[in-house]
Amino acid sequence: MTQVHPKVEEAVDTLGLEGATRRRLLSGAGMVSAAAAASALLAACSSSNKKDAGSTAKGGVGPFPSTPKWKFVFVNHVTTNPFFTPTQYGAQDACALLNCEFQWTGSQDSVVPQMVNALNSAISAKADGIAVAVVDKTAFRAPIDKALNAGIPVVSYNADGAKGDPGSNRLAYIGQDLYTSGYQLGQRIASVMQGGDAVGFIATPGSLNIQPRIDGAKDAIKASGKPINFTSVASGAELPKELSTIDAYAQGHKNLKGMFAVDAGSTEGVGKVVAKYGLKSKGVAAGGFDLNPATLQAVSAGNLDFTIDQQPYLQGFLPVLYLWLYKLSGGLAAPSETNTGLLFVTKDNVQPYLATKTRFEGSSTQQQLLTHSGPIAHK
């Protein structure tokens, strides 16, 4: 009898097969190489999974049992803003992996009552899970409690109420620590300015996805002790209005030494206005948040000193994953608080973002494998 490779025996032993079944598998033609072990194990696992599936339907994900095609609802505050393009890609990709689906809804112009209506509609439709940007610290508390009372898991993403007050009983928050990111913005402003007038544009003042950033920036600038006169200015929730507001402000304030922003659209607008009037040559510092393609180009061209990455792709991918695991485990695998981080993107490290168009920054629809070479940046 041909000797069976030990790796094949090890693989088969992990399956706990009965004696006769084990002997038939090991006596199969070609089971003599280490490479055949993987094929043997996969074939046996497939057979075992079919046998153990019992009453479950077909279509389970990987080794997990089959599940219904759960539907998760995202309630967003600026549904058409390009910042959330990679967020939607992240949700799409997670759904493709997990055999579920999602709905993107909310308000186009950060109108909180519209968001609350969308949240209530999701509850009435018996959504399997909800992810909501909690941009107001009072309006979402009651509907989120209603969802939880109905057995619908709810997480927040991108915005989580006010500093020290999440504004709801959501199960977890997935997103950037907003006040901390604003404080680090203020520290960076103090490092690139000696003094003078600076403006911080904010699309929707009071909206808790960005207001904590302005608050943090002001606190950090004050703590720096530098003679920087920092003024916050509302720019509007829609990109055309943001750009026109920023352009008009720059023309009306010729002595500006700094132009900054705390949201994606305003940051893109700052980059365009700085380029339009050649403000870098006049000693104006500039920067902001997020990875809109035009913003990355502005960093590369030197019109923005920096932008701050908060991983919007993960803010779509992880809520789906967490809600799916919650459903799969009957609530035992509870969602975890996840800070999606803060990274300053400057002219020194912007090129990898520009070299390849990806779904992670919303600059491409294409699925692709990206490889990394060289050392990994660290402190």
Side-chain angles (χ1 to χ4, degrees):
M1 178 178 175
T2 305
Q3 185 176 3
V4 177
H5 193 284
K7 292 296 182 184
V8 177
E9 292 198 25
E10 289 178 18
V12 173
D13 285 343
T14 66
L15 300 175
L17 300 176
E18 297 177 357
T21 304
R22 182 180 186 278
R23 286 193 297 274
R24 285 197 300 272
L25 179 61
L26 290 176
S27 63
M31 296 294 105
V32 295
S33 69
S39 297
L41 183 58
L42 286 171
C45 282
S46 176
S47 175
S48 177
N49 283 344
K50 288 178 182 177
K51 180 178 70 176
D52 294 341
S55 60
T56 59
K58 295 180 180 179
V61 179
F64 295 106
S66 296
T67 66
K69 191 161 186 152
W70 289 316
K71 181 177 181 178
F72 305 124
V73 177
F74 280 73
V75 179
N76 189 260
H77 50 292
V78 281
T79 52
T80 59
N81 193 295
F83 167 81
F84 287 106
T85 298
T87 305
Q88 293 176 73
Y89 287 154
Q92 287 176 7
D93 292 348
C95 286
L97 284 173
L98 301 172
N99 191 33
C100 56
E101 58 185 347
F102 81 101
Q103 178 185 1
W104 186 258
T105 186
S107 172
Q108 184 173 326
D109 302 312
S110 200
V111 179
V112 170
Q114 292 177 358
M115 297 179 67
V116 172
N117 288 340
L119 178 53
N120 284 326
S121 295
I123 297 168
S124 297
K126 296 180 170 38
D128 294 298
I130 299 172
V132 57
V134 181
V135 296
D136 184 284
K137 67 178 182 180
T138 58
F140 297 98
R141 190 180 302 275
I144 287 177
D145 284 348
K146 180 181 176 182
L148 295 172
N149 289 337
I152 300 173
V154 181
V155 298
S156 62
Y157 73 101
N158 188 255
D160 191 44
K163 181 186 177 185
D165 180 6
S168 75
N169 292 307
R170 85 293 183 272
L171 300 179
Y173 169 59
I174 300 100
Q176 189 178 71
D177 184 321
L178 299 171
Y179 177 84
T180 298
S181 70
Y183 198 91
Q184 292 196 31
L185 168 67
Q187 290 178 320
R188 181 61 66 102
I189 291 172
S191 74
V192 297
M193 290 184 64
Q194 295 304 312
D197 293 339
V199 59
F201 293 103
I202 175 172
T204 48
S207 184
L208 295 179
N209 63 312
I210 46 181
Q211 184 64 44
R213 291 175 176 166
I214 280 284
D215 295 340
K218 289 179 178 178
D219 288 349
I221 291 169
K222 182 178 179 180
S224 75
K226 284 192 170 183
I228 299 172
N229 178 31
F230 184 82
T231 302
S232 62
V233 173
S235 52
E238 296 183 356
L239 285 174
K241 181 179 179 182
E242 287 177 300
L243 181 58
S244 62
T245 299
I246 294 165
D247 192 305
Y249 192 90
Q251 291 186 68
H253 297 78
K254 302 294 187 181
N255 294 325
L256 277 175
K257 295 300 180 182
M259 295 181 65
F260 305 94
V262 293
D263 60 272
S266 297
T267 300
E268 181 177 321
V270 167
K272 290 178 178 178
V273 170
V274 168
K276 179 178 179 180
Y277 298 112
L279 298 182
K280 292 304 294 182
S281 65
K282 300 175 183 178
V284 176
F289 278 82
D290 302 323
L291 303 180
N292 287 11
T295 294
L296 294 172
Q297 292 290 347
V299 172
S300 179
N303 294 311
L304 291 175
D305 295 295
F306 62 85
T307 191
I308 297 173
D309 182 12
Q310 61 169 312
Q311 297 285 347
Y313 179 92
L314 292 181
Q315 294 178 25
F317 188 95
L318 292 179
V320 170
L321 175 62
Y322 290 171
L323 292 170
W324 188 86
L325 286 172
Y326 185 93
K327 296 288 291 184
L328 181 74
S329 69
L332 295 178
S336 59
E337 296 284 314
T338 305
N339 185 343
T340 57
L342 183 155
L343 173 69
F344 280 94
V345 178
T346 68
K347 200 168 185 178
D348 292 335
N349 63 353
V350 72
Q351 286 308 314
Y353 293 92
L354 295 171
T356 307
K357 305 298 183 184
T358 78
R359 290 169 69 83
F360 303 110
E361 283 75 52
S363 54
S364 172
T365 62
Q366 184 180 354
Q367 296 281 7
Q368 55 191 309
L369 172 65
L370 305 175
T371 58
H372 179 272
S373 61
I376 298 175
H378 61 282
K379 293 182 180 179

